[in-house]
């Protein structure tokens, strides 16, 4: 029975060649477009899903200025005044090439992140070396990704070793973390301590009044359960 159906189908295809080609091409194109759209949607929905607290983390936005660059001090004000907020962290990623070196090994990384220590407890950051409960030993500590550590130090544990940023600034490695996944909205190869005023990038002052000093960071809030 199936053999007869196939014979009839091929006979019709040969009899109506142009019509068959148009139908087959149209069906193929339609399926291809649907698959591409499905893959795009799956990829978009997968962003930051690796974070265990993803459902409870929100990014603070200044709707008046349509900006996510907010004075870092707002994070402390919010956690002090809103009990619904379990914790907050502030960070900023500077997307520029940074020269990094250790002895004769040199590496240019595409971005550097300035973050406070709460970042490591809010987000899922697997550590290869170092203490995740104390990622920064002091304000001159630096955490680097596994890929950056491999290029700078090889297979050696780099904890306690000193690296240079831009051939001048010396920082001590206090932790090595897994590389950020491709579906992460946050990505960096070098993470420095935002409590160090040197790493409050994009400093701006609108007047001589020190209370108006503004260090724009991205602020993330983690809400309590329910």
């Amino acid at each position: 029975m199936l053999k007869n159906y196939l014979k009839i189908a091929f006979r019709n295809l040969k009899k109506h060649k142009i019509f068959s080609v148009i139908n087959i091409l149209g069906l193929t194109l339609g399926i291809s477009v649907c698959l591409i759209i499905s893959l795009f949607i799956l990829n978009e929905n997968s962003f930051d899903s690796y974070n265990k607290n993803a459902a409870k983390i929100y990014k603070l936005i200044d709707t008046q200025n349509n900006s996510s660059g907010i004075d870092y001090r707002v994070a402390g004000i919010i956690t002090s005044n809103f009990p619904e907020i379990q914790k907050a962290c502030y960070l900023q990623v500077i997307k520029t090439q940074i020269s990094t070196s250790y002895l004769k090994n040199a590496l240019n990384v595409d971005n550097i992140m300035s973050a406070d220590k709460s970042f490591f407890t809010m987000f899922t950051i697997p550590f290869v070396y170092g203490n995740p409960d104390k990622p920064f030993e002091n304000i001159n500590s630096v955490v680097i990704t596994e890929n950056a550590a491999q290029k700078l130090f090889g297979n050696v544990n780099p904890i306690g070793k000193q690296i240079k940023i831009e051939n001048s600034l010396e920082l001590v490695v206090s932790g090595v973390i897994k590389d950020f996944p491709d579906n992460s909205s946050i990505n960096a190869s070098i993470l420095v301590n935002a409590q160090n005023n040197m790493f409050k990038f994009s400093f701006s002052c609108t007047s001589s009044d020190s209370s108006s000093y503004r260090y724009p960071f991205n602020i993330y809030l983690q809400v309590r359960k329910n």
Side-chain angles (χ1 to χ4, degrees):
M1 182 67 71
L2 179 61
K3 188 176 180 180
N4 290 332
Y5 285 146
L6 290 173
K7 284 183 177 179
I8 294 171
F10 281 115
R11 190 180 301 139
N12 286 330
L13 288 174
K14 287 183 179 180
K15 189 175 182 181
H16 307 285
K17 291 181 180 179
I18 297 177
F19 183 74
S20 299
V21 169
I22 293 173
N23 277 334
I24 292 171
L25 288 177
L27 179 62
T28 304
L29 180 62
I31 292 174
S32 300
V33 170
C34 287
L35 287 174
I36 292 172
I37 293 173
S38 299
L39 290 172
F40 175 78
I41 292 173
L42 288 172
N43 181 63
E44 288 295 304
N45 288 332
S46 73
F47 263 72
D48 296 327
S49 59
Y50 68 95
N51 283 317
K52 295 178 181 178
N53 299 318
K56 296 188 291 183
I57 296 177
Y58 295 85
K59 187 177 182 179
L60 196 61
I61 302 294
D62 179 357
T63 55
Q64 185 174 356
N65 297 310
N66 191 29
S67 170
S68 61
I70 300 172
D71 189 325
Y72 78 101
R73 294 171 293 186
V74 171
I77 295 171
I78 288 178
T79 52
S80 298
N81 291 276
F82 293 90
E84 298 88 350
I85 305 301
Q86 184 177 0
K87 63 181 71 172
C89 79
Y90 52 89
L91 62 91
Q92 57 179 186
V93 178
I94 306 301
K95 295 184 178 180
T96 183
Q97 279 217 333
I98 303 294
S99 172
T100 309
S101 62
Y102 171 70
L103 299 179
K104 294 182 179 180
N105 297 332
L107 172 67
N108 286 327
V109 298
D110 293 329
N111 44 42
I112 181 172
M113 181 194 298
S114 178
D116 71 324
K117 60 183 180 180
S118 296
F119 171 74
F120 297 92
T121 58
M122 280 182 61
F123 293 86
T124 305
I125 312 291
F127 271 72
V128 180
Y129 297 110
N131 183 2
D133 295 325
K134 195 176 182 180
F136 295 124
E137 292 288 338
N138 52 59
I139 61 173
N140 291 319
S141 296
V142 63
V143 174
I144 60 178
T145 61
E146 191 174 24
N147 183 53
Q150 179 68 35
K151 291 179 179 178
L152 286 172
F153 303 98
N155 296 321
V156 178
N157 183 344
I159 299 299
K161 298 187 182 298
Q162 198 173 74
I163 65 173
K164 280 188 177 181
I165 305 291
E166 295 296 321
N167 296 319
S168 59
L169 182 59
E170 295 181 345
L171 299 173
V172 177
V173 178
S174 60
V176 177
I177 60 173
K178 290 282 187 180
D179 296 337
F180 288 92
D182 293 334
N183 62 343
S184 173
S185 60
I186 301 172
N187 197 354
S189 299
I190 297 175
L191 289 77
V192 292
N193 192 345
Q195 290 184 326
N196 187 336
N197 285 333
M198 291 185 64
F199 300 129
K200 288 184 172 65
F201 305 118
S202 302
F203 167 76
S204 62
C205 174
T206 56
S207 75
S208 58
D209 179 8
S210 62
S211 65
S212 67
Y213 283 19
R214 186 168 182 271
Y215 297 92
F217 274 74
N218 291 329
I219 296 177
Y220 291 85
L221 308 174
Q222 181 177 325
V223 299
R224 297 187 186 279
K225 190 175 181 180
N226 301 321

